[in-house]
Amino acid sequence: MKKIIMLISMLLVSLNSQATLLSVELNQDSYQVGDVLTADFIISDIEEDGLGFKKLLASFDFTLSWDNSIIDYVSNSFGNKLNVGVAGSDQSVFDIMTDSMSLSEISYAWWDELLPVQDGLSQFVLASVNFNVTSIGTDTLNLTNVIFGDEFGASFADVSSNNAYFTVNSAGPVDVPEPMTVVLMLIALTVLARKRII
């Protein structure tokens, strides 16, 4: 009987557990050369503790890579869910290369400062990165080495990530130049004026 109860409880625990997800959300589906590509890095499906409450995120670290022949790194910013309380957080961007970088943030806030900011949220933005689109092609923003830590310094047990795919198309719709439009309107007005005179 004890074995059956243990198996049932293990099954229930495994059904309740889910991987905390880091995903990339892009500001557009497709791009043109010269556009700005903004990638938001969003945490969701946040892991629960042993009592069934969502853990509070106090630190994260991940590596982002891309094809530098299609996009160039411009800038980054961090979200506002870890940089709270008196002590705030340490936000770092390191190992910046032409095709990869690592982003990291460690909150120095106590759990009672993190709780009001993160409680009840199913997802939130950790960081954003801006790129200039430089050439035509298809690329992927790849996430690796993803680590999340809770308010007690323990790593999240199960973490997964989604990469983002995008396409850079050639030219968009061609605009009619303004001087030509004015000339066409003048011709039409001249024709109308001649018809009225006759």
Side-chain angles (χ1 to χ4, degrees), residues 92-166:
S92 303
V93 180
F94 52 95
D95 295 335
I96 298 178
M97 306 209 181
T98 57
D99 61 355
S100 68
M101 66 190 299
S102 295
L103 289 97
S104 173
E105 184 171 11
I106 299 172
S107 178
Y108 299 116
W110 295 97
W111 71 270
D112 61 337
E113 295 170 316
L114 289 170
L115 183 63
V117 178
Q118 295 182 18
D119 189 37
L121 296 178
S122 60
Q123 64 179 32
F124 55 90
V125 175
L126 299 179
S128 298
V129 178
N130 295 316
F131 298 91
N132 280 333
V133 178
T134 57
S135 75
I136 298 166
T138 301
D139 193 12
T140 308
L141 293 177
N142 296 304
L143 293 168
T144 55
N145 305 322
V146 179
I147 301 171
F148 293 132
D150 67 15
E151 69 275 26
F152 303 110
S155 294
F156 282 34
D158 197 6
V159 175
S160 64
S161 62
N162 285 344
N163 298 326
Y165 303 91
F166 63 92

Side-chain angles (χ1 to χ4, degrees), residues 189-198:
L189 287 173
T190 305
V191 170
L192 285 173
R194 284 186 149 203
K195 282 192 175 191
R196 273 196 176 187
I197 294 174
I198 298 177

Side-chain angles (χ1 to χ4, degrees), residues 3-150:
K3 288 182 181 180
I4 293 173
I5 292 173
M6 273 181 58
L7 285 172
I8 291 172
S9 63
M10 287 174 60
L11 177 65
L12 290 174
V13 168
S14 67
L15 288 175
N16 286 337
S17 67
Q18 59 187 6
T20 303
L21 178 65
L22 178 62
S23 56
V24 186
E25 187 174 293
L26 302 179
N27 61 329
Q28 296 174 200
D29 293 328
S30 64
Y31 297 87
Q32 312 272 325
V33 173
D35 286 350
V36 173
L37 182 152
T38 301
D40 291 330
F41 301 93
I42 300 171
I43 185 173
S44 60
D45 300 333
I46 299 170
E47 186 176 299
E48 295 178 351
D49 62 17
L51 300 173
F53 296 105
K54 287 191 185 232
K55 288 187 174 184
L56 297 175
L57 182 72
S59 66
F60 69 83
D61 191 345
F62 64 87
T63 301
L64 173 66
S65 59
W66 62 88
D67 181 350
N68 68 333
S69 69
I70 296 177
I71 56 175
D72 283 333
Y73 167 74
V74 175
S75 64
N76 68 278
S77 61
F78 286 87
N80 59 2
K81 303 302 183 206
L82 276 71
N83 191 15
V84 296
V86 178
S89 70
D90 182 19
Q91 302 170 339
S92 303
V93 180
F94 52 95
D95 295 335
I96 298 178
M97 306 209 181
T98 57
D99 61 355
S100 68
M101 66 190 299
S102 295
L103 289 97
S104 173
E105 184 171 11
I106 299 172
S107 178
Y108 299 116
W110 295 97
W111 71 270
D112 61 337
E113 295 170 316
L114 289 170
L115 183 63
V117 178
Q118 295 182 18
D119 189 37
L121 296 178
S122 60
Q123 64 179 32
F124 55 90
V125 175
L126 299 179
S128 298
V129 178
N130 295 316
F131 298 91
N132 280 333
V133 178
T134 57
S135 75
I136 298 166
T138 301
D139 193 12
T140 308
L141 293 177
N142 296 304
L143 293 168
T144 55
N145 305 322
V146 179
I147 301 171
F148 293 132
D150 67 15

